[in-house]
Each structure stands twice: as structure tokens, then as C-alpha cells.
Amino acid sequence: QVRLVESGGGLVQPGGSLRLSCAASGFTFSNYNMGWYRQAPGKERELVARISSVGGSTNYADSVKGRFTISRDNAKNTVFLQMNSLKPEDTAVYFCNAVNWITTYNYWGQGTRVTVSS
């Protein structure tokens, strides 16, 4: 069974930092590109960051570029999102995503909530 379990969300003040983690199981993690998406109240889910299977390529939404960093540890089947200089508009539920570039299989976690507020 495929599982993606996000953790690390919570309440943080503007300008603060959080590090999200996504623990993967039930599939060959190294064969999947990984991504972080977020969904704010009343908005559609949007891409935050993506990373290739070996971590050689990354892609970021313009709104988070320079503030967020995606990384992965294939030995631990885990992908991370380091979030710095957080803004209230970063408030959302953050979802972990896995995509196989051959089969196009697409898996999602349940999400972890991030609230940026003073």
C-alpha cells in the first residue's frame, strides 16, 4: 500500500521558518519525482516545489522562490520542504506528491497544515 505522510506543519509567526517532511512507503521512492503542493481556503491546489528522482533538478513557484527549498533523502524515502521567511499568504494545507515518470502514477498525502500568523 502506498503511503505519503506529511509532518512538520503548525503555527508560526511571519518571518519564521518551518521544515516539512514527507515519509514515503509502498513504492520505489527513487523512481518518483516528488513535489509539494498547497491549498489555501477558497483556492485551488497549487504547485509549490518539485524535485527530480535523484535531486538534480528543482522547480519552484515564483511566490516561494528564494524562500523555500525542496530536498530529498532517497536512503530514507523522505522529501523535505524548508520554508523560511514565511508570510501570512503561505497559510495553507501542504501536500506531498509523488509522480512516476514512466507510468504517470500519481500519489498524494493527506496534508499538513501551515498557519502563518502573529
Side-chain angles (χ1 to χ4, degrees):
Q1 60 283 356
V2 171
R3 290 195 70 191
L4 295 172
V5 181
E6 302 95 334
S7 62
L11 175 65
V12 64
Q13 295 186 122
S17 297
L18 286 173
R19 192 189 196 202
L20 306 184
S21 298
C22 172
S25 61
F27 63 97
T28 304
F29 183 75
S30 60
N31 288 344
Y32 284 72
N33 296 325
M34 301 298 298
W36 287 97
Y37 291 72
R38 68 186 182 187
Q39 187 166 21
K43 297 184 178 180
E44 294 185 352
R45 190 173 300 185
E46 64 175 349
L47 172 69
V48 177
R50 289 186 292 205
I51 188 167
S52 62
S53 61
V54 297
S57 298
T58 57
N59 186 25
Y60 297 92
D62 288 341
S63 59
V64 308
K65 195 171 298 182
R67 299 187 297 120
F68 292 8
T69 303
I70 188 171
S71 61
R72 66 191 294 161
D73 186 341
N74 283 359
K76 297 182 178 180
N77 289 357
T78 304
V79 63
F80 306 96
L81 185 68
Q82 179 66 47
M83 309 165 65
N84 298 326
S85 301
L86 284 162
K87 305 175 180 180
E89 48 264 48
D90 295 318
T91 296
V93 177
Y94 284 72
F95 298 91
C96 181
N97 171 249
V99 176
N100 183 281
W101 61 91
I102 296 175
T103 66
T104 73
Y105 291 166
N106 198 332
Y107 304 123
W108 295 91
Q110 294 299 306
T112 185
R113 185 175 298 275
V114 172
T115 302
V116 184
S117 176
S118 59

